[in-house]
């Protein structure tokens, strides 16, 4: 008769299994009983050959029964512990959806970008296309084709940085007017474009001058265009941008590439009272304009007897000053966030 207490082994194993409180402890329990090498149940199997022959079979059967009972208990316990651990994990990783999120500070467009976008939108409504040209320009497009030959005194007013001098001179463009020439060289009338872009000029920095600034050039060429069209177009555009209450005036002026020429002013941010920005005149000049000079049309191969045109150039920073009541152009370039946040 063997003396191995199978019943108490089964009971102990069940009790220990019930006490396991984690999947790690369960794993230890499993190894203790089921490990191939040292598992208690396998050790029992190894006892069989030592038993009297008559007892071997019932003992083996009993061991197998215990094995399958414990395997079932083990599987059940495993499911239990897994679900406990899962709920613990879910609890641990719970997301509090009521917690306020981290706000992303919304940025916004720079006042100058807004002005450029708005001016483009106004002229787009009038049927203008946007054209562009290089910031490093050659002498022909920046001056000569615009009726400003080499020794012309008007060049002096637009001194700039020359990248190359001499015959193939190249320079930082002093205005967006060269885009007129480039457009006419590549297209036939009718033409209706605006050309926004950056321009450079040797200039003393003041509250309304800066050596880098932006212009928006406009050019219309057609079989019949006249000064009234020019005046009407600019007046309409300025009213769209500044509102109808803001006063506009045209003053006779001179540009080599237009005849007749004018400059136009917008009532200053002081609304005519007189302030530092307008040097107490009550007005701020924002651009030049005029009827395209016949020699410019000839320079691009157009026949001045067949087509006429008008052109204008707007200072974008000046528009921003006037539109947003900014008293000094330097504020636009300093990029101080305390200033920019106000827009
Ligand atoms: N390009 C001129 C300047 O920068 C402005 C200007 C005057 C542009 C008359 C024009 C124009 O298109 O017709 O001073």
């Amino acid at each position: 008769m063997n003396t191995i207490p199978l019943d108490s082994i089964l009971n102990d194993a069940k009790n220990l299994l019930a006490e396991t409180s984690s999947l790690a402890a369960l794993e230890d329990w499993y190894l203790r009983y089921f490990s191939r090498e040292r598992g208690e149940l396998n050790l029992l199997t190894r006892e069989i050959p030592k038993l009297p022959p008559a007892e071997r079979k019932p003992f083996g059967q009993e061991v197998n029964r215990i094995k399958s009972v414990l395997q079932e208990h083990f599987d059940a316990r495993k499911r239990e512990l897994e679900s406990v651990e899962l709920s613990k994990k879910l609890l641990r990783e719970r997301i509090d959806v009521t917690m306020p999120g981290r706000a992303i500070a919304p940025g916004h467009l720079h006042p100058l970008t807004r002005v450029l976008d708005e001016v483009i939108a106004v002229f787009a409504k009038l049927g203008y296309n946007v054209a562009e040209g290089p910031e490093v320009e050659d002498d022909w497009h920046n001056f000569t084709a615009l009726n400003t030959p080499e020794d012309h005194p008007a060049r002096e007013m637009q001194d700039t940085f020359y990248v190359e001098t001499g015959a193939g001179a190249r320079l930082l463009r002093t205005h967006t007017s060269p885009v007129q020439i480039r457009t006419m060289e590549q297209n036939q009338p009718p033409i209706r474009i605006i050309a926004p872009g950056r321009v450079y000029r040797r200039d003393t920095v003041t509250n309304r001058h800066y050596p880098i600034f932006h212009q928006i050039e406009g050019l219309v060429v057609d079989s019949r265009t006249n000064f009234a069209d020019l005046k009407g177009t600019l007046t309409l555009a300025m009213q769209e941008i500044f509102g109808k209450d803001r006063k506009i005036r045209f003053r006779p002026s001179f540009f080599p590439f237009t005849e007749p020429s004018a400059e136009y002013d917008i009532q200053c941010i002081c609304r005519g009272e007189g302030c530092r920005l307008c040097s107490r005149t009550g007005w701020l000049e924002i651009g030049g304009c005029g009827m395209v000079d016949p020699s410019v049309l000839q320079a691009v191969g157009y026949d001045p007897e067949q087509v006429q045109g008008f052109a204008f150039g707007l200072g974008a920073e000046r528009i921003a000053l006037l539109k947003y009541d900014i008293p000094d152009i330097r504020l636009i370039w300093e990029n101080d966030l305390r200033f920019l946040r106000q827009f």
Side-chain angles (χ1 to χ4, degrees):
M1 189 58 196
N2 83 77
T3 53
I4 300 172
L6 287 179
D7 281 351
S8 74
I9 289 176
L10 176 61
N11 280 333
D12 286 353
K14 279 192 196 165
N15 288 339
L16 287 174
L17 184 64
E19 280 167 21
T20 55
S21 58
S22 68
L23 286 171
L26 186 70
E27 179 73 15
D28 288 344
W29 179 94
Y30 191 82
L31 289 175
R32 173 171 174 174
Y33 287 98
F34 285 90
S35 160
R36 260 188 191 221
E37 290 296 312
R38 295 164 291 104
E40 286 190 23
L41 298 173
N42 288 325
L43 293 180
L44 283 175
T45 318
R46 284 188 213 162
E47 293 299 314
I48 295 175
K50 297 177 195 162
L51 296 174
E55 287 179 25
R56 289 180 193 165
K57 191 176 177 192
F59 181 84
Q61 282 172 339
E62 186 58 11
V63 170
N64 280 339
R65 192 186 67 83
I66 290 175
K67 270 192 187 174
S68 65
V69 170
L70 286 179
Q71 182 70 49
E72 266 171 41
H73 277 68
F74 169 82
D75 292 342
R77 184 66 184 151
K78 189 173 178 194
R79 282 193 293 275
E80 262 169 40
L81 287 176
E82 275 172 353
S83 87
V84 169
E85 297 217 347
L86 180 64
S87 19
K88 271 196 209 152
K89 192 171 174 211
L90 289 177
L91 212 60
R92 220 171 33 237
E93 294 176 2
R94 206 170 93 183
I95 295 167
D96 182 354
V97 292
T98 65
M99 228 163 86
R102 248 172 266 157
I104 298 169
H108 60 74
L109 296 176
H110 190 281
L112 187 62
T113 309
R114 277 169 54 179
V115 162
L116 289 168
D117 286 353
E118 190 176 339
V119 174
I120 291 170
V122 166
F123 282 98
K125 273 197 285 189
L126 297 173
Y128 287 61
N129 287 321
V130 174
E132 279 179 320
E135 284 179 30
V136 177
E137 188 52 281
D138 56 46
D139 185 279
W140 165 258
H141 290 98
N142 197 81
F143 289 127
T144 310
L146 285 163
N147 202 27
T148 317
E150 196 148 357
D151 48 1
H152 196 289
R155 284 199 178 201
E156 240 157 67
M157 285 153 50
Q158 300 196 358
D159 198 10
T160 182
F161 186 81
Y162 282 75
V163 180
E164 283 163 51
T165 50
R170 291 181 343 129
L171 48 117
L172 294 186
R173 66 178 177 190
T174 58
H175 49 179
T176 43
S177 301
V179 185
Q180 290 184 27
I181 303 299
R182 290 183 175 275
T183 305
M184 289 190 285
E185 281 172 341
Q186 283 157 24
N187 300 277
Q188 287 305 310
I191 282 174
R192 202 181 286 187
I193 55 129
I194 55 165
R198 198 174 268 208
V199 301
Y200 305 81
R201 240 176 248 190
R202 196 186 69 85
D203 218 340
T204 310
V205 176
T206 72
N207 53 0
R208 55 174 191 262
H209 293 99
Y210 207 81
I212 308 176
F213 57 106
H214 293 76
Q215 286 187 335
I216 301 143
E217 191 78 14
L219 172 71
V220 171
V221 184
D222 212 335
S223 49
R224 284 152 138 232
T225 48
N226 56 44
F227 204 90
D229 296 331
L230 166 60
K231 225 174 150 180
T233 303
L234 279 178
T235 305
L236 183 85
M238 293 307 119
Q239 284 178 348
E240 285 272 311
I241 293 162
F242 292 104
K244 289 209 168 80
D245 296 337
R246 203 71 170 262
K247 290 202 179 96
I248 306 169
R249 73 175 185 191
F250 288 77
R251 279 179 292 112
S253 184
F254 171 81
F255 295 99
F257 36 92
T258 43
E259 183 61 36
S261 306
E263 283 175 319
Y264 50 100
D265 304 336
I266 304 278
Q267 201 178 34
C268 182
I269 59 175
C270 58
R271 302 297 190 276
E273 291 272 301
C275 68
R276 280 190 55 210
L277 180 60
C278 59
S279 297
R280 319 217 169 274
T281 61
W283 299 92
L284 199 62
E285 180 204 328
I286 64 161
C289 60
M291 299 307 295
V292 179
D293 194 291
S295 53
V296 173
L297 298 172
Q298 260 158 0
V300 298
Y302 287 2
D303 178 358
E305 298 299 325
Q306 298 299 318
V307 290
Q308 296 137 12
F310 65 79
F312 54 89
L314 299 158
E317 280 79 359
R318 295 270 177 103
I319 296 182
L321 300 186
L322 290 164
K323 190 170 166 72
Y324 300 120
D325 284 348
I326 302 169
D328 194 315
I329 200 168
R330 285 165 285 203
L331 287 164
I332 292 189
W333 285 92
E334 278 164 1
N335 283 331
D336 185 332
L337 285 178
R338 289 169 302 180
F339 166 73
L340 294 176
R341 281 202 188 99
Q342 298 172 61
F343 297 94

